[in-house]
């Protein structure tokens, strides 16, 4: 067994197995751990800018990669016009840089803010570093081996489908440059650590909030304690102690 077979055949199947099996075990055994575990209450400004850039940048980039896997002929047809090819490449590079800035802000936030650093786990740093490596290698690939949206459907789409159909062809990536291979391996590494990190919250997108009945919580403020009345004065009539009132329209309880 050579390194190409180990890194691009054996390890991808290990990463896929971990992503599926560990995610199911964690969601069934420890459902309350499947959360982003936000530290917004400790620091919100850097979190807002970093998280927005990272999430939107990565989601759009992954969407473009998924489009190349599912509709390779459509992507090639789009790139048949040079202007559209240039626009797609420039847009992808801009999104990668935007996401990279977001990841860097979040990493600096965890390292520089003492309160956030206390609640951070080693896996938080591992994930941010892997994301940063993925973005950096992607930018290097886009700059050194241009027009990736053109050669991706011809190289990586067959490779990924060969893995999913259990007819692996790791030789498709054997002769690619180092930075491209590193970028691909880092993707499988991210997938392997995915179920052990906060990233697992992406599989619990609360779409039910879009159509569930609303929940109304009303808090009635307690009355002030009445002052002592002088002897002989008429005593005020005691009022019942107000209680919190919860009006539920059918929705589930939880933190919104």
């Amino acid at each position: 067994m050579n390194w190409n077979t180990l890194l691009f055949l054996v390890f991808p199947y290990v990463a896929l197995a971990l992503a599926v099996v560990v995610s199911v075990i964690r969601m069934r055994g420890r459902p309350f751990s499947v959360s982003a575990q936000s530290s917004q209450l400790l620091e919100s400004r850097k979190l807002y800018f970093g998280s927005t850039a990272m999430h939107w940048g990565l989601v759009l980039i992954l969407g473009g990669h998924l489009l190349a896997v599912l509709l390779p002929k459509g992507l090639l047809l789009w790139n048949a016009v040079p202007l559209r090819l240039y626009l797609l490449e420039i847009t992808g590079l801009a999104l990668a840089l935007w996401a990279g800035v977001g990841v860097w802000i979040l990493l600096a936030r965890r390292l520089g803010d003492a309160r956030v650093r206390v609640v951070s786990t080693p896996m938080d740093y591992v994930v941010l570093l892997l994301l940063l490596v993925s973005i950096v290698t992607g930018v290097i690939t886009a700059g050194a081996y241009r027009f990736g949206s053109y050669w991706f459907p011809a190289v990586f789409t067959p490779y990924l489908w060969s893995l999913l159909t259990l007819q692996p062809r790791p030789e498709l990536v054997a002769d690619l440059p180092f930075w491209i291979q590193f970028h691909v391996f880092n993707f499988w590494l991210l997938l392997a650590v995915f179920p052990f990190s906060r990233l697992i919250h992406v599989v619990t997108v609360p779409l039910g909030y879009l159509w569930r009945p609303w929940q109304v919580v009303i808090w009635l403020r307690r009355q002030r304690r009445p002052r002592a009345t002088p002897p002989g004065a008429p005593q005020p009539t005691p009022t019942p102690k107000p209680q919190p009132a919860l009006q539920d329209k059918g929705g589930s309880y939880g933190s919104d």
Side-chain angles (χ1 to χ4, degrees):
M1 180 183 296
N2 55 33
W3 282 104
N4 186 75
T5 302
L6 180 63
L7 297 179
F8 302 111
L9 172 58
V10 177
F11 185 67
Y13 281 121
V14 173
L16 286 169
L18 287 174
V20 175
V21 175
V22 178
S23 295
V24 172
I25 294 175
R26 183 173 173 183
M27 293 175 66
R28 293 178 63 88
R30 296 190 301 151
F32 291 103
S33 71
V34 183
S35 168
Q37 302 174 2
S38 175
S39 56
Q40 182 179 2
L41 294 178
L42 302 177
E43 195 282 327
S44 60
R45 187 172 182 272
K46 293 179 182 178
L47 177 64
Y48 171 77
F49 290 105
S51 180
T52 300
M54 184 192 75
H55 282 83
W56 280 107
L58 291 178
V59 165
L60 293 176
I61 291 174
L62 289 176
H65 285 68
L66 185 62
L67 181 66
V69 174
L70 299 178
L71 299 172
K73 293 183 179 179
L75 184 60
L76 292 175
L77 183 62
W78 170 272
N79 289 335
V81 179
L83 178 59
R84 295 194 300 214
L85 172 62
Y86 296 148
L87 289 176
L88 183 61
E89 290 287 326
I90 293 173
T91 302
L93 181 59
L95 289 173
L97 294 175
W98 187 37
V101 171
V103 173
W104 180 260
I105 292 176
L106 294 179
L107 184 59
R109 172 179 177 268
R110 290 199 176 275
L111 292 172
D113 193 299
R115 294 184 301 175
V116 179
R117 190 167 57 249
V118 168
V119 300
S120 299
T121 65
M123 185 57 71
D124 295 332
Y125 297 105
V126 169
V127 169
L128 289 174
L129 287 174
L130 288 178
L131 288 174
L132 192 60
V133 169
S134 183
I135 293 170
V136 170
T137 55
V139 171
I140 293 175
T141 299
Y145 312 101
R146 288 175 293 178
F147 309 123
S149 63
Y150 194 82
W151 52 259
F152 185 101
V155 177
F156 285 110
T157 297
Y159 165 68
L160 292 175
W161 277 113
S162 72
L163 294 177
L164 296 177
T165 57
L166 303 182
Q167 297 176 344
R169 298 173 59 191
E171 65 275 7
L172 291 173
V173 296
D175 297 327
L176 293 177
F178 167 78
W179 288 109
I180 301 180
Q181 290 184 336
F182 191 17
H183 185 68
V184 176
F185 173 75
N186 192 76
F187 167 77
W188 296 120
L189 192 57
L190 263 172
L191 188 64
V193 303
F194 166 82
F196 303 97
S197 67
R198 300 176 191 234
L199 291 178
I200 196 174
H201 77 277
V202 303
V203 302
T204 59
V205 178
L207 297 179
Y209 285 96
L210 298 177
W211 57 77
R212 78 169 194 177
W214 62 87
Q215 173 180 301
V216 179
V217 179
I218 302 175
W219 178 261
L220 301 180
R221 181 178 297 176
R222 295 181 180 180
Q223 299 290 338
R224 292 183 178 179
R225 181 178 299 178
R227 297 180 179 178
T229 54
Q235 298 293 328
T237 304
T239 57
K241 184 179 180 180
Q243 298 292 334
L246 177 66
Q247 180 182 358
D248 187 7
K249 299 298 183 179
S252 57
Y253 298 97
S255 58
D256 293 342

